[in-house]
Amino acid sequence: MRILVVEDEPELNRQLKEALEQAGYAVDVALDGEEGHFLGDTEPYDAVILDLGLPQKDGVTVLKEWRAAGRNMPVLILTARDRWSDKVAGFDAGADDYVAKPFHMAELLARLRALLRRASGHASSEISCGPLVLDTAGAQVLKDGIPLKLTPMEYRLLAYMMHHQGEVISRTRLTEHLYDQDFDRDSNTIEVMIGRVRKKIGKEMLQTVRGLGYRLSPPSGD
Ligand code: CA
């Protein structure tokens, strides 16, 4: 899962990036509305955290322009504590949720997890696929109740595929959703990672669809 953070306070921006990376996400950041708008308009994010008070272009305008252009990723807005009118303007512009500043990072992360789940059509807090259960709060995947030993990138890959189980996902799409924009992308890495994850979860669950990509699905008969 790849997240965009648009926040002009450098310290908060840094804290958000750090917390999100620790939670297992790929993270890009922007410090003003212009750059934030550009990134959200050109890169395929799974969700965006958008401050409303931004230099160059305010958050409500950024959001309105994304929505007008058909960008429908979930957007969580950051609002000032006592500005109820900001929340109204944010929701009217197409926001999916908000947290008021100052906020607890744990609350923001929980709201983000809920947005990501709902965006991929999962209502409950745990996503399962055959013997696998994705625990997004604990950033782990369990198989038959036992946590799998995954590297941070393997977790990111498997979490993305569990959100999108049953779909054929191309290598390009995986690359776009697993790495931030500064990462030196090499699609062979994806293939190697798929191979390692496949060994850990059981070969039959992670199929290669020749020429198209990969699909995660429960073992047949399940
Ligand atoms: Ca601000």
Side-chain angles (χ1 to χ4, degrees):
M1 296 283 173
R2 185 172 168 205
I3 312 294
L4 172 64
V5 172
V6 190
E7 165 61 62
D8 60 312
E9 288 167 45
E11 181 54 21
L12 182 55
N13 187 303
R14 191 193 61 73
Q15 287 172 7
L16 282 164
K17 181 176 167 70
E18 192 179 295
L20 289 165
E21 283 177 346
Q22 267 175 19
Y25 303 106
V27 185
D28 289 336
V29 298
L31 284 155
D32 65 68
E34 199 76 62
E35 190 194 2
H37 174 264
F38 174 76
L39 285 173
D41 210 33
T42 50
E43 297 286 329
Y45 294 103
D46 294 294
V48 178
I49 294 166
L50 177 67
D51 185 30
L52 290 188
L54 291 169
Q56 310 216 27
K57 191 178 262 191
D58 69 273
V60 167
T61 304
V62 169
L63 185 49
K64 274 186 187 156
E65 290 181 3
W66 281 339
R67 295 315 193 209
R71 307 271 158 214
N72 60 1
M73 64 286 198
V75 174
L76 185 151
I77 54 173
L78 305 179
T79 66
R81 165 81 47 202
D82 45 1
R83 296 282 295 276
W84 63 268
S85 57
D86 280 2
K87 291 168 204 159
V88 174
F91 279 116
D92 282 343
D96 298 277
D97 200 357
Y98 77 96
V99 292
K101 291 179 180 177
F103 53 84
H104 290 283
M105 199 58 86
E107 181 186 351
L108 179 136
L109 291 172
R111 288 182 178 278
L112 180 65
R113 287 194 297 273
L115 283 181
L116 290 167
R117 279 198 315 265
R118 287 201 298 268
S120 58
H122 301 275
S124 92
S125 70
E126 281 183 343
I127 297 175
S128 53
C129 179
L132 302 179
V133 174
L134 172 64
D135 163 20
T136 52
Q140 60 178 356
V141 178
L142 298 102
K143 186 183 181 195
D144 299 318
I146 297 159
L148 290 170
K149 285 199 176 70
L150 300 167
T151 67
M153 282 310 298
E154 288 168 4
Y155 169 77
R156 210 182 270 177
L157 174 105
L158 191 51
Y160 186 79
M161 296 207 73
M162 287 189 72
H163 275 88
H164 298 280
Q165 57 188 274
E167 292 174 45
V168 178
I169 302 173
S170 69
R171 221 186 292 176
T172 309
R173 181 169 153 196
L174 278 176
T175 308
E176 285 174 345
H177 289 268
L178 300 187
Y179 299 122
D180 60 60
Q181 60 170 357
D182 299 329
F183 196 89
D184 185 16
R185 296 168 183 193
D186 172 3
S187 60
N188 288 329
T189 320
I190 295 277
E191 211 169 314
V192 171
M193 209 156 41
I194 287 275
R196 286 202 309 258
V197 169
R198 187 177 272 150
K199 268 187 205 143
K200 293 181 183 181
I201 67 173
K203 268 196 193 114
E204 70 288 357
M205 290 186 66
L206 186 44
Q207 300 115 13
T208 300
V209 182
R210 196 177 291 252
L212 295 175
Y214 308 97
R215 180 174 50 216
L216 179 75
S217 50
S220 47
D222 220 60

